[in-house]
Amino acid sequence: MSASSNAPAPSTPSATTVTASAAGDRRAGTEPGGTFASTAWEETRPEPDEESPRVAHAYTTNTFTGAIDGTGTAHHVMFYGPGEGQWGAGRYHGYEKVTGTVGGRTGSFVLAHDGAFAGTTVRADWTVVPGSATGELAGLRGRGSFVAEQGVGAVVYTFDHTFDERQH
């Protein structure tokens, strides 16, 4: 499930637009939000001859550009089930602490990942854990997703987010 950086980066993501709502939120929307690349992947994998169900734990480091500009460190727990290919099919859940900027604001926040994989494709949704944002990012709320293929260096992600101004 690791990504390499051998492929060219996709085209530049769209710019983020921000508007204020009557409720005091600053809303930003992007499609896509940017790209990320895995710069480290350390996984304790199940042995190939283990019978299902198999569980593994991975520590990853990602570099984000676009709507999120920074570095994330993640802890994932993965379930490997039966199926075709090197890993079969499975699911993963995890948390990723991201430090950097969103919408020109600096701080850190945690993304909760919920994903699935089959063969060499990973599909995941993520949400900002409520109350996890610090610094100028306090009040950040958001969600996004990505589809990654093994061997692709830069993965396109979406990230729709708001800032609750009452917490800033």
Side-chain angles (χ1 to χ4, degrees), residues 5-102:
S5 58
N6 295 339
S11 62
T12 304
S14 63
T16 301
T17 57
V18 179
T19 59
S21 73
D25 293 344
R26 287 173 46 92
R27 301 200 178 276
T30 59
E31 287 291 332
T35 62
F36 73 89
S38 292
T39 57
W41 184 281
E42 296 178 34
E43 179 178 347
T44 304
R45 291 187 186 189
E47 295 299 319
D49 56 356
E50 281 187 39
E51 292 183 28
S52 290
R54 299 171 294 171
V55 176
H57 188 203
Y59 298 98
T60 65
T61 303
N62 297 309
T63 301
F64 291 85
T65 59
I68 303 169
D69 190 11
T71 302
T73 54
H75 301 267
H76 300 296
V77 177
M78 295 164 292
F79 159 72
Y80 289 90
E84 301 295 318
Q86 182 179 358
W87 301 302
R91 299 208 41 91
Y92 86 92
H93 302 282
Y95 291 96
E96 180 170 14
K97 180 180 179 183
V98 178
T99 302
T101 61
V102 174

